[in-house]
Amino acid sequence: MSLTVEIKDLGQSELEISGELSVEAFASFRPAVIKDYGSKIQIDGFRTGHIPEKVIVDKVGEEAILLEMAELALKETYPKIVEEHKLDVIGRPEINLTKVAPGNPLGFKIKTAIMPKVELPDYQAIAKEVLAGNKIDIADTTEDELSKALANLQKELAHQGHQHGLEEKGDHEHSLPALDDELAKKFGLETLDELKFKIKEGIKNEKLGHAKEQRRLKMIEAIGTASKLELPPVLIENEQDKMLAEMEDQTARMGLKFDDYLGHLKKTREELKETWAAEAKKRVTFGLILNAISQAEKIEAPAEELQKEVDYLATRYADVDEARLRSYANTLLVNEKTLEFLENAK
């Protein structure tokens, strides 16, 4: 056999896959690596793409060649192992090379998480209980809330298009637009009363949305507490990495350097991630519970809604490939429909 594999259960929904790829199978990846290096490097006296293998090896080193071969080999081999052994893997695998040498098999160990088995309780009964104890009753927008919203709107309009000079302070005051029908017309409305009505409805809807989100969180937390599942540490770590990437992106959008922000917090990246451990665990649990319920109830995203969501995401994330967008959109839609199912539990 060209591939030998041993799978060990590490507990906590994690597996260790140890294996060796035969000398011949490992060597079969060498031509592709040599060709790739030959198309990228430049060496005096040789045309790009026509550089002898020995010259390439002398230039980049045998170790670099072997490591590239190993990466290609495992990129092809790992999915085959997963498919052959019917492993329901999740998250990014942790790959370690145990043997990489000329004329030898490729040795490797892969640590990966698998989808935890979730023993669900009577989730419909729990959902009904949480919903009954958390009725949503949103009061009408108060005059004070309306006044604050109008004041903020005036300030935003006053600052639009105004560039502060170096000598100006950030809170430099500008003349505020009048609260009249002309202001309403800037938003496609006829009167100030119409604008006030729209703002009041917007505030109420925002409070309603927040209340619904909090009730949903309580519902899933209650179901999660009554469920039996093991959380793979790698999933929590991956979620912490995702949260860090989100914060880096937000900081960059604000025109700030993330390292400067960390300096202000007096924390390293690892220290910041550690403060999110509890939240990351909550997020992972939330996702696993929703996934288990959607599978139990066979909840799927309608094709038309899925395509519409993919098309929308594509306009916002043009640099992300469609397969990833589709997977993300599918998760969003299935989660939403699963929550709606729980909210309508009978």
Side-chain angles (χ1 to χ4, degrees):
M1 292 179 64
S2 62
L3 177 67
T4 58
V5 170
E6 180 183 343
I7 300 176
K8 181 180 178 182
D9 187 346
L10 301 177
Q12 291 188 297
S13 300
E14 289 188 318
L15 299 177
E16 181 182 80
I17 304 170
S18 303
E20 278 196 351
L21 190 63
S22 70
V23 176
E24 296 77 18
F26 182 39
S28 69
F29 292 93
R30 190 176 185 89
V33 172
I34 294 296
K35 183 178 179 181
D36 183 55
Y37 269 115
S39 67
K40 292 188 297 188
I41 63 175
Q42 293 183 344
I43 298 177
D44 291 341
F46 296 96
R47 285 186 299 148
T48 300
H50 297 273
I51 305 173
E53 179 175 337
K54 184 180 184 308
V55 177
I56 293 173
V57 174
D58 289 342
K59 175 72 174 179
V60 302
E62 181 66 27
E63 182 180 0
I65 300 290
L66 290 169
L67 290 176
E68 288 285 347
M69 288 168 58
E71 183 177 344
L72 276 182
L74 290 176
K75 189 177 292 185
E76 180 179 300
T77 302
Y78 177 62
K80 290 181 178 179
I81 295 172
V82 169
E83 183 178 359
E84 181 181 343
H85 294 271
K86 296 179 172 59
L87 304 177
D88 194 5
V89 299
I90 48 177
R92 295 191 299 269
E94 180 184 309
I95 299 175
N96 289 297
L97 302 177
T98 57
K99 185 191 294 184
V100 191
N104 279 270
L106 172 67
F108 59 86
K109 279 188 178 180
I110 302 174
K111 182 179 176 183
T112 187
I114 57 173
M115 184 65 73
K117 293 180 180 178
V118 181
E119 292 184 34
L120 291 168
D122 186 344
Y123 45 85
Q124 291 196 58
I126 292 175
K128 284 176 65 177
E129 184 179 345
V130 172
L131 293 173
N134 291 271
K135 298 289 186 182
I136 295 178
D137 185 16
I138 303 299
D140 290 335
T141 304
T142 66
E143 288 301 315
D144 184 51
E145 289 172 327
L146 175 61
S147 295
K148 288 180 179 178
L150 285 169
N152 288 333
L153 180 61
Q154 285 177 290
K155 289 178 182 177
E156 287 177 17
L157 290 173
H159 282 75
Q160 278 183 4
H162 183 89
Q163 299 294 325
H164 291 295
L166 292 175
E167 74 285 354
E168 291 184 289
K169 295 182 179 179
D171 60 352
H172 182 81
E173 292 187 4
H174 314 296
S175 57
L176 301 178
L179 290 175
D180 53 19
D181 292 345
E182 290 302 312
L183 179 66
K185 289 175 181 177
K186 292 180 182 292
F187 299 93
L189 302 172
E190 291 299 320
T191 66
L192 180 60
D193 285 339
E194 286 182 69
L195 177 61
K196 287 181 178 180
F197 177 79
K198 289 287 187 182
I199 291 175
K200 289 172 75 172
E201 287 297 298
I203 293 171
K204 187 173 181 178
N205 287 335
E206 186 177 336
K207 289 191 287 187
L208 179 61
H210 179 72
K212 283 185 175 180
E213 183 180 341
Q214 292 304 306
R215 190 174 68 170
R216 283 179 165 186
L217 285 172
K218 289 178 181 177
M219 187 168 60
I220 298 302
E221 283 176 0
I223 295 171
T225 299
S227 300
K228 293 181 181 179
L229 75 159
E230 289 183 332
L231 291 181
V234 67
L235 271 191
I236 299 174
E237 291 168 12
N238 286 348
E239 190 62 34
Q240 288 170 294
D241 288 337
K242 181 181 175 183
M243 293 166 75
L244 183 67
E246 288 171 355
M247 178 166 278
E248 287 198 57
D249 182 61
Q250 290 170 4
T251 305
R253 289 176 186 276
M254 294 167 61
L256 302 173
K257 292 183 178 178
F258 191 62
D259 286 337
D260 292 342
Y261 179 68
L262 289 173
H264 175 71
L265 295 178
K266 297 181 179 178
K267 290 184 183 293
T268 64
R269 280 174 168 75
E270 289 305 312
E271 288 171 340
L272 189 59
K273 282 166 57 177
E274 187 56 35
T275 64
W276 296 331
E279 179 62 24
K281 182 177 180 180
K282 187 183 295 185
R283 285 194 188 188
V284 171
T285 302
F286 192 97
L288 291 173
I289 293 296
L290 283 179
N291 181 70
I293 295 173
S294 67
Q295 289 187 350
E297 298 294 337
K298 296 181 173 56
I299 297 172
E300 297 180 347
E304 188 176 335
E305 288 185 39
L306 178 57
Q307 189 57 53
K308 186 176 180 180
E309 185 68 20
V310 171
D311 292 342
Y312 168 72
L313 291 172
T315 62
R316 297 187 61 191
Y317 307 103
D319 56 337
V320 180
D321 67 84
E322 187 176 333
R324 286 181 61 193
L325 288 179
R326 186 168 294 277
S327 175
Y328 177 66
N330 186 70
T331 299
L332 285 180
L333 289 172
V334 170
N335 283 353
E336 178 61 27
K337 292 190 178 299
T338 303
L339 288 165
E340 289 174 357
F341 166 80
L342 291 171
E343 288 170 330
N344 294 307
K346 297 178 180 179

